[in-house]
Amino acid sequence: MSNPLDPKTTRELAVNRKDFVLFFCIGLFMVSLVLAAITAVKIQSFHFGPLVVLVPAGSVAFGLTYLETDVISEVWGRSFALMTVYAGLVMRFVMFILIGYALGGEDVFPFIGIADSWAPERDAAFESVLGASMRINLAGVVAFGLSALSGVFIFHHLKHREKGKNRLWLRNNISTTVSQVLDSIVFVTVAFGGTMPLAAVASIVLGQVLVKVSVAFLDTPVVYLLRNIATDRKLFDFRG
């Protein structure tokens, strides 16, 4: 049995923690990305005091993706963060193809049919949700690619410019806010443009920005916590 005080054991534990945080961030990133695409079909109303805005249900899940890329950027660097974003883009394309197969498999492949237990009304409900998510998923690919890549580059620009200063919170929130505004404008325009009144589209853009920025602000302590676990710092060390 290894001695817990042995320096080698201590190093191994630190590496295991760092590996766990990396896999956790990548896993949560992919889950949030997929759920954001599927649940964005549903439009909710958010109340910010007297202000009521329309928000796709996937906005909260999508807002979480920036938490993971910021942690990966901070601990592992820009290359790891970019690889995570590229992998996410590939997964969105895979998701797009698989949803398309699920919607029209029997129309494309002669050896696939609909089971007798799958009633027409169930098929209609299935297509109404996933069919709508096809356009939303395509919009998400475009918006996510532009915003996530810009977020990574802004984060590292600020990290280089503010080197040696206690400003992880600043680059976390600025990079996320700018990229979230870009994402909201592109995503809502492509996903919902022409399907609803202009006022509703504007409300969704505003709602997405407010919700995503709120998520970014609230997740800042979590960014520090994951950074600290990965780098073997004290859990509530908010320096750096």
Side-chain angles (χ1 to χ4, degrees), residues 24-176:
F24 174 83
C25 286
I26 294 174
L28 182 59
F29 177 85
M30 297 302 175
V31 168
S32 300
L33 203 57
V34 171
L35 285 178
I38 295 174
T39 57
V41 176
K42 182 178 180 180
I43 304 297
Q44 299 173 314
S45 61
F46 270 62
H47 298 257
F48 292 90
L51 179 64
V52 180
V53 292
L54 302 177
V55 183
S59 297
V60 173
F62 189 79
L64 290 176
T65 62
Y66 289 86
L67 181 159
E68 293 89 58
T69 53
D70 284 353
V71 174
I72 293 172
S73 291
E74 181 68 16
V75 178
W76 288 273
R78 187 175 70 176
S79 295
F80 272 74
L82 289 175
M83 288 302 104
T84 302
V85 172
Y86 295 149
L89 281 170
V90 173
M91 293 305 104
R92 289 295 292 262
F93 278 114
V94 171
M95 178 182 170
F96 186 81
I97 292 169
L98 292 177
I99 290 178
Y101 154 75
L103 288 170
E106 63 278 359
D107 297 326
V108 178
F109 303 102
F111 55 87
I112 296 178
I114 299 177
D116 294 337
S117 59
W118 188 253
E121 57 270 19
R122 296 177 66 186
D123 196 55
F126 181 81
E127 291 189 6
S128 70
V129 174
L130 290 185
S133 72
M134 288 290 282
R135 176 177 175 176
I136 289 173
N137 190 43
L138 181 60
V141 170
V142 177
F144 167 72
L146 292 174
S147 63
L149 291 175
S150 66
V152 171
F153 284 110
I154 292 170
F155 184 96
H156 282 278
H157 170 74
L158 293 173
K159 184 176 182 180
H160 178 73
R161 193 186 73 178
E162 306 291 329
K163 188 175 182 180
K165 299 179 180 179
N166 180 25
R167 290 181 176 172
L168 170 57
W169 60 271
L170 182 66
R171 54 185 175 269
N172 165 231
N173 283 282
I174 289 181
S175 64
T176 299

